[in-house]
Structures are given as structure tokens and as C-alpha cells.
Amino acid sequence: MTLSQTLLLASAGAAAVVGSVQNVTKPNFIFIMTDDQDLHLNSIDYQQSVQKHFAQEGTWFKKHFCTVALCCPSRVSLLTGKAAHNTNVTDVSAPYGGYPRFIEEGFNDDYLPVWLQNAGYNTYYTGKMMNGHSLSTYNNPRINGWNGSDFLIDPGTYIFYNATMSRNHDPAKNYPGEYSTDLISAAAVGFLDDAIKASDRPFFLGVAPIAPHSETITGGDAKFNAPVPAKRHEHLFPNVTVPRTPNFNPNTTGTASYFKTIRQLNQTEIDYNDDWYRKRLQSLQSVDELIDSIIERLSANPTVLNNTYLIYTTDNGYHIGQHRLPPGKSCNIEEDVNIPFFIRGPGVPKGAVQTIPSSHTDIVPTLFSLAGIPLREDFDGEPIPVTKELLAKNEKSEHVNIEFWGEYLVEGNTFFGQSYFPNNTYKHVRVIGEGYDLAYAVWCTNELELYDMVNDPYQLTNLHNTNSTVNSWPIASLSSRLNGLLLTLKRCKGRTCTRPWEKLHPKGDVKNLKDAMDKKFDAFYEKHQQPVTFSECALGQVLSAEGALEPVQWREEWDEWSYHT
Ligand SMILES: *[C@@H]1O[C@H](CO)[C@@H](O)[C@H](O)[C@H]1NC(C)=O
Ligand SMILES: *[C@@H]1O[C@H](CO)[C@@H](O)[C@H](O)[C@H]1NC(C)=O
Ligand SMILES: *[C@@H]1O[C@H](CO)[C@@H](O)[C@H](O)[C@H]1NC(C)=O
Ligand SMILES: *[C@@H]1O[C@H](CO)[C@@H](O)[C@H](O)[C@H]1NC(C)=O
Ligand SMILES: *[C@@H]1O[C@H](CO)[C@@H](O)[C@H](O)[C@H]1NC(C)=O
Ligand SMILES: *[C@@H]1O[C@H](CO)[C@@H](O)[C@H](O)[C@H]1NC(C)=O
Ligand SMILES: *[C@@H]1O[C@H](CO)[C@@H](O)[C@H](O)[C@H]1NC(C)=O
Ligand SMILES: *[C@@H]1O[C@H](CO)[C@@H](O)[C@H](O)[C@H]1NC(C)=O
Ligand SMILES: *[C@@H]1O[C@H](CO)[C@@H](O)[C@H](O)[C@H]1NC(C)=O
Ligand SMILES: *[C@@H]1O[C@H](CO)[C@@H](O)[C@H](O)[C@H]1NC(C)=O
């Protein structure tokens, strides 16, 4: 069937699927994930359907983060509910990442769709799965867990008008002249019909278009161009430019690793960036149409809609020109890690905005909890309180652990003359509690960063090693606690990832940063705790390069303050 036939059928069939009375107690899930979409460059302001069907009908979790700002590691972490240091799929390609690493680590039998099928779900997926899911690997072995699938396959994943796709494991085909996101939209609506017809089981439908990712020629010498919008959207937003926030191409350099070396962009480069930005916004318009098609089909089946949670998010964020950076991701800056996350469905407050911190590692636990499936002990995340009921008893932790191993690949490298920046391995933690919002990082160069995100949301003033204060806390005391937290999180598993202070203070009397700031812990954190360090900028999780791996635990005898007073 051609795409136009599929679309025709899709619109003709927009009426309710006859005889579909879903008789299930578990809810359905529709999970829409774009690729490299920013929150901080305001892309969602240009998506009316995200506003109408998600922001107005559901809750926006404004402090949602990816835990690795790179597609493949982020997706594997999301699909397993595990931190990247535990999946050890940390890159997009060999030796540290890509689909073959996902297989090697045994996740093909142990990840979200397999678990959902075992819990009685029908599962469907269309779009990009992960990097390295390619012509040579997609049937070797096949990816498990999907009742219906239509995957974008490398090297055609990022070619907007000539995608390569494999439907239900059939030989991959190219679609010259057809628009990638439209193909994904047609496949998604088709699977939705299948799911509704198979009314004896609840369903999960994953929809992963590639917009607004760059058009990328994959392979050893990857080449990145601006994304290609659908022809019908090429004319939109002619005068829109990247928001000129205080951190856009600033006249001062950054303070750590290669950020210290990047020169200011010239006008040619700024124009190129603005054009890149417009193409991203244009490419997202077809994602809006995809959302409309899904909502239209669900609206025709109100009992199904009534029992379905819909999520809109992306795999990682994106920057263009902030801190002088050329287009790309992979950094620990807020643009790359704080990303769109919307959810709507039964019990989810409408038109609400939440600032409870959450991350991609929390998504599978969230789905499990909504479906009444017992949480696995090896989850490194915890359910996000998305419903009114869950919000009423919210105990979610206040931190998000962000990690990265490798280089920063420069996109749009025609203008920047450099295809990558080395020394991009770092450990980072965001802590968002009552009265404080902090970003703390240790780079593989052993440089440190500390930003007060309340007063410096654009991350222009590194407070590390200054005589400043945050929330009236001296920087040295604060840094010492954040170091202890980061050290606890860097190799955490399971509950330690969500309740790290319990590991540092086994008595359970310290539950958050504020508790840990008690003066009686000064000596413990400032003198006895080990620092987070690196001995080299390894490209993967090579433990011998990562300094201390476990924190020292608190001992009463270190309470100098109480002894002396
Ligand atoms: C739904 O399932 C319940 C329990 O299995 C059964 O009693 C009921 O008749 C079913 N309803 C419909 C409409 O099939
Ligand atoms: C989906 O796959 C699961 C696991 O193989 C199976 O039990 C279920 O019957 C399938 N659903 C449909 C509609 O074929
Ligand atoms: C589409 O991609 C295939 C595979 O790379 C290639 O052989 C074909 O020439 C391309 N078609 C067009 C119209 O670009
Ligand atoms: C874009 O800018 C041009 C030149 O400044 C102006 O003539 C035009 O009206 C603007 N278009 C829009 C849609 O704002
Ligand atoms: C640097 O940028 C700041 C803020 O935009 C501005 O106040 C200052 O004058 C600039 N300095 C130079 C040397 O351009
Ligand atoms: C949807 O659910 C609400 C609340 O549970 C209920 O009042 C309403 O009748 C339901 N609508 C449909 C079409 O099932
Ligand atoms: C800007 O920098 C690029 C190199 O990235 C160079 O090719 C170009 O000539 C420069 N343009 C201007 C206006 O300086
Ligand atoms: C990378 O970091 C190492 C170790 O700190 C340093 O020697 C080297 O100069 C850095 N390279 C670049 C390009 O920043
Ligand atoms: C911080 O204060 C101490 C003591 O007043 C002083 O010696 C030191 O130079 C100051 N450091 C900075 C970075 O201002
Ligand atoms: C992660 O995988 C890489 C590549 O296989 C390996 O070299 C490294 O030792 C692994 N790290 C851990 C902590 O398992």
C-alpha cells in the first residue's frame, strides 16, 4: 500500500472501530517521543497541537530531564528504567553503544515491551528505536517485544524524504519522496486501530518520529545538515530566530573543559544557526499533525480515550548558539538535559504545571505503577506522581543524576571546522528542593561547576571556588554535600539511586540536601568524604579512570560541631 492509500484509509476509518468495547482494567499508553527536541529554545511554543492536546489536557512536568543527553543511551535507559551506568550502553555506536550493545547486555529479553506483554499488554512501535538498529543488525537478532512494529532503520533513519523502514521484521524498504513523519503517523494510526480492535488486552503504542533531529548521513564520517521540513511547512516562521537569551553567544567563555576554548560565533554562523532553528520548528509541524491524527482516532473511541495515558516527550534536548556552541547535544547545560514532558489521561490534572523533578529513568516505573504492575527492584527510577491521587502523597526525591561518557559531536560542522570536541565525559547532578535549584558537575578534566539555577538560570556564573553563598549556605559547605551526593549516585543501583542520602546516612535522619547541610556534617563531607575525580577522559565507562567509586558513610565521631558546643 502506498502512503497516500494508507492515509486515505486512515481518514475514512476515523469513525469508531465497530464493536470495540475495551473491557480492560489496565490503562492503555500512547508514548510519543521526538528526537533531540529542546525545551529551552521554546520549540513547544510553535506546536499548537502540543499546547491543545497536552498542555491544556494534561500536566507539564517542567523539571523533567534526560539522564544522558544522547539518543541511544537515553533511549536504552528509558526503555529499561535503569541508569546508563547500569545499562552500560553509553554511546551511539561501538564499542560503547548502539543496538548491538543493547543486545549484548541482554536487554532484548528484559525491557519495557517484553515486560508489558507479560503483564497482558499488546505492544506496538513505529519510528526510531535506537542508533545502530541498521540494515545489518535489525534482523540479527530481531528486536523483541512488539506485536506490531514499523521501524526506521539506519542508514535511512534520518533521511526525511527517503526513509528506510522495516515493517513487522520484513525486509527493509526505502520510501523516496514520502515524508518520514507522515509515514510514522500513518503507521501509528494503523497500529492504534489494531490495538483498539484487539479489545481483550490493553495496549502500549510507541511513536518515535525523528523530527527535529538533523538530517544525518550516518556512518564513520557522519555528516549533519539541518532537518528537512515537509514541503507544506517550508514557508513557516520566516523571521523567527533562536531566542537571544543571555547565554546566546555570550562575550565571555565558559569555565570548564572545551567550553573555555570556544570562540564567539560570527554573523555568518549566527545566520546559519537561525536557519537551522527555523527548519527544526518547521519539521515539528508534521509532528503536530501526527498528534492530531492520533487524537482524532482516539476521540472517535471515547471509552478507549478515557482509559489511555498519552505522553509527549523527546529523547534528549538541544542547543544552538548557547555558550557559543554550534548546533548539538551531549552537554550538561540545561538546554540539553531539561526537556519537554507532558502527560494526560485518567486522573491527571489538566492545564497543570509541576516542578517536581523527574527523569527518563522514572518513566517505566511510572507506567508500571499506573498499570498496577509491581515495580522491579532493579529500577533506578521511581514513579512520577502524575495523578491527583499520587500527587497528594508525593514523596519523589529531589535530585536527578545526569551522566555522559565520550566526545561532543558537532552538528552543522560545515561552518565550525571541527567535527567534535574531546573531553566531554562528566558527572552531573541537579537538585531541586524547597528554596534551592542547583546544578553541580565534575568533568573528566577534574574541573568543577556549580550553578545557582534560581538566580542564574542561564548558567553564566560558575560559583565553584568562590566566596559566594546559595540559600545562605557557603559554597564550600554546599559543594562538599553535592560531591557526596554525586559520588553516591555515580555507581548507584536500585533504591540507592532514588534515596542516596540513606546510603550516606544509614540511620535515615538525612532525607535531602537541606538535612545534609547541618553543620554537624561539615567534617564528614569536607574532610572525610572522597572527591569525585577522573584520571582520564575515557570514551566509555572505564571504571579504572573514574577515581573513588563508592562513598564513605557517616560516623558519629566526625560530629566535631556537637562535641565543641
Ligand atoms: C468485562 O469483563 C468482566 C470480567 O471479566 C465480565 O464480567 C464482563 O461481562 C465483561 N464485559 C464486557 C462488556 O465484555
Ligand atoms: C501480542 O503478543 C503477545 C506475546 O507474544 C501475545 O500473547 C498476544 O496474544 C499478542 N496479541 C495479539 C493481538 O496478537
Ligand atoms: C533512497 O535511498 C536508497 C538507499 O540509500 C538509494 O539507493 C536511493 O537512490 C535513494 N533514492 C532517492 C530518490 O534519493
Ligand atoms: C519578516 O520580516 C520582513 C522584513 O523585515 C517583513 O517585511 C515581514 O513582514 C516579516 N514577516 C513576518 C511574518 O513577520
Ligand atoms: C558583554 O555582554 C554584556 C551583556 O550582554 C554587556 O553588558 C557587555 O557590555 C559586553 N561586553 C563587551 C566587551 O562586549
Ligand atoms: C470517561 O470517564 C469519566 C470519569 O471516569 C466518566 O464520567 C465518563 O462517562 C467517561 N466517558 C466515556 C465516554 O466513557
Ligand atoms: C565566520 O567563520 C567561518 C568559519 O566557521 C568563516 O568561514 C567565515 O568566513 C566567517 N564569516 C565572517 C563574516 O567572519
Ligand atoms: C583534554 O583533557 C586533557 C586532560 O585534562 C588535557 O590534557 C587536554 O589538553 C584536553 N584536550 C582538549 C582538546 O581540551
Ligand atoms: C575568599 O575569602 C578568603 C578569606 O576572606 C580569601 O582569602 C580568598 O581570596 C577569597 N577567595 C575568592 C575566590 O574570592
Ligand atoms: C562497559 O562496557 C565497556 C565496553 O564493553 C567495557 O569496556 C567496560 O568495562 C564496561 N564498564 C562496566 C562498568 O561494566
Side-chain angles (χ1 to χ4, degrees):
M1 196 184 311
T2 66
L3 170 66
S4 43
Q5 281 170 327
T6 314
L7 287 177
L8 206 68
L9 277 182
S11 55
V17 175
V18 184
S20 72
V21 180
Q22 276 213 332
N23 187 17
V24 287
T25 48
K26 290 192 188 325
N28 309 306
F29 298 111
I30 299 181
F31 182 78
I32 303 173
M33 179 165 65
T34 55
D35 199 333
D36 286 0
Q37 185 170 0
D38 61 273
L39 177 62
H40 287 267
L41 316 188
N42 304 341
S43 60
I44 56 173
D45 292 356
Y46 296 86
Q47 288 185 280
Q48 287 181 13
S49 302
V50 170
Q51 295 303 332
K52 180 171 168 208
H53 298 301
F54 284 92
Q56 287 172 28
E57 292 295 320
T59 299
W60 174 22
F61 281 82
K62 205 175 177 174
K63 295 286 185 181
H64 186 82
F65 295 83
C66 59
T67 60
V68 196
L70 190 63
C71 308
C72 180
S74 176
R75 287 167 187 242
V76 173
S77 182
L78 193 161
L79 288 163
T80 57
K82 288 187 182 54
H85 63 253
N86 289 332
T87 67
N88 201 20
V89 178
T90 58
D91 200 355
V92 291
S93 56
Y96 300 111
Y99 178 66
R101 285 285 300 138
F102 169 85
I103 299 294
E104 273 163 32
E105 291 286 342
F107 294 127
N108 203 19
D109 298 315
D110 223 6
Y111 79 123
L112 178 66
V114 175
W115 297 330
L116 287 179
Q117 281 185 337
N118 290 342
Y121 275 75
N122 289 329
T123 55
Y124 307 87
Y125 194 95
T126 181
K128 170 173 157 186
M129 186 40 91
M130 66 186 74
N131 307 72
H133 195 216
S134 72
L135 286 177
S136 58
T137 63
Y138 78 101
N139 268 339
N140 182 28
R142 291 174 172 182
I143 195 154
N144 286 336
W146 304 106
N147 288 82
S149 62
D150 208 345
F151 297 121
L152 286 166
I153 298 290
D154 286 355
T157 302
Y158 309 98
I159 311 298
F160 283 84
Y161 268 109
N162 189 9
T164 311
M165 295 185 77
S166 164
R167 187 170 176 87
N168 294 329
H169 310 293
D170 285 348
K173 280 184 19 185
N174 272 77
Y175 291 86
E178 300 196 54
Y179 191 62
S180 175
T181 307
D182 296 343
L183 292 164
I184 304 306
S185 177
V189 170
F191 286 139
L192 181 53
D193 283 346
D194 294 349
I196 294 173
K197 278 186 205 132
S199 57
D200 58 327
R201 286 160 74 96
F203 66 84
F204 174 95
L205 168 62
V207 184
I210 53 157
H213 195 283
S214 56
E215 170 131 325
T216 304
I217 317 293
T218 57
D221 218 359
K223 195 168 164 13
F224 302 91
N225 292 310
V228 178
K231 295 210 164 56
R232 59 188 182 276
H233 299 134
E234 276 171 343
H235 63 289
L236 294 173
F237 318 124
N239 294 358
V240 170
T241 60
V242 178
R244 300 303 199 247
T245 49
N247 63 357
F248 179 80
N249 201 26
N251 55 22
T252 49
T253 54
T255 53
S257 197
Y258 57 87
F259 279 71
K260 294 189 297 196
T261 67
I262 304 174
R263 64 173 169 78
Q264 223 166 353
L265 306 171
N266 68 32
Q267 194 55 47
T268 318
E269 289 162 331
I270 291 173
D271 292 345
Y272 176 84
N273 282 350
D274 284 334
D275 178 64
W276 189 293
Y277 178 66
R278 279 189 291 275
K279 292 195 161 107
R280 284 170 57 87
L281 300 181
Q282 292 161 359
S283 77
L284 283 167
Q285 301 310 301
S286 49
V287 175
D288 260 21
E289 293 171 354
L290 176 158
I291 293 170
D292 291 344
S293 303
I294 289 174
I295 298 288
E296 187 191 350
R297 187 57 50 102
L298 280 174
S299 304
N301 294 275
T303 51
V304 178
L305 176 59
N306 227 18
N307 192 33
T308 300
Y309 289 97
L310 289 105
I311 288 175
Y312 183 85
T313 188
T314 188
D315 52 1
N316 52 257
Y318 208 73
H319 57 253
I320 308 178
Q322 296 72 34
H323 307 280
R324 307 179 169 184
L325 292 161
K329 59 258 185 183
S330 310
C331 306
N332 65 343
I333 55 174
E334 203 68 348
E335 287 78 2
D336 289 11
V337 296
N338 179 208
I339 55 180
F341 184 85
F342 295 87
I343 182 165
R344 58 175 277 181
V348 177
K350 295 187 182 193
V353 179
Q354 280 295 345
T355 53
I356 299 167
S358 60
S359 83
H360 272 6
T361 320
D362 298 322
I363 292 178
V364 173
T366 305
L367 302 186
F368 269 41
S369 99
L370 293 171
I373 307 170
L375 300 183
R376 294 170 57 99
E377 278 187 12
D378 63 357
F379 280 157
D380 298 328
E382 61 184 323
I384 306 168
V386 295
T387 61
K388 288 185 200 92
E389 201 185 330
L390 293 170
L391 280 163
K393 47 180 186 188
N394 171 40
E395 288 187 341
K396 186 124 183 24
S397 51
E398 60 173 9
H399 64 274
V400 175
N401 182 32
I402 293 162
E403 35 198 13
F404 203 92
W405 297 264
E407 293 159 344
Y408 160 35
L409 276 184
V410 174
E411 300 188 20
N413 45 20
T414 12
F415 270 94
F416 298 87
Q418 192 171 351
S419 57
Y420 71 97
F421 294 112
N423 294 353
N424 194 44
T425 296
Y426 56 78
K427 304 206 180 283
H428 183 88
V429 66
R430 293 282 282 104
V431 188
I432 302 165
E434 237 179 89
Y436 48 91
D437 184 347
L438 301 157
Y440 180 77
V442 178
W443 287 76
C444 59
T445 54
N446 294 315
E447 288 160 296
L448 277 71
E449 289 178 294
L450 172 57
Y451 295 101
D452 174 356
M453 303 300 287
V454 175
N455 296 306
D456 179 25
Y458 296 103
Q459 299 176 296
L460 291 167
T461 307
N462 182 0
L463 296 176
H464 175 68
N465 241 346
T466 65
N467 283 338
S468 183
T469 57
V470 175
N471 206 24
S472 81
W473 297 323
I475 294 301
S477 313
L478 178 58
S479 288
S480 71
R481 272 59 171 191
L482 293 170
N483 168 71
L485 176 63
L486 192 56
L487 182 54
T488 309
L489 292 171
K490 67 184 266 192
R491 292 286 301 148
C492 71
K493 282 188 164 52
R495 187 174 169 92
T496 302
C497 299
T498 57
R499 297 291 177 270
W501 300 107
E502 283 180 5
K503 170 130 184 180
L504 289 157
H505 300 269
K507 263 172 45 188
D509 53 336
V510 174
K511 297 204 172 340
N512 51 37
L513 176 65
K514 192 163 163 252
D515 295 344
M517 288 306 299
D518 193 314
K519 258 179 122 47
K520 75 176 186 182
F521 303 127
D522 279 353
F524 167 47
Y525 284 105
E526 291 173 26
K527 291 190 216 152
H528 302 288
Q529 192 52 274
Q530 310 193 72
V532 174
T533 60
F534 292 86
S535 54
E536 62 171 297
C537 288
L539 300 180
Q541 193 186 189
V542 178
L543 295 185
S544 58
E546 296 202 359
L549 299 175
E550 293 287 333
V552 169
Q553 286 184 340
W554 156 250
R555 291 191 221 151
E556 290 294 336
E557 72 231 42
W558 290 333
D559 180 358
E560 290 170 10
W561 178 254
S562 302
Y563 289 158
H564 297 172
T565 50

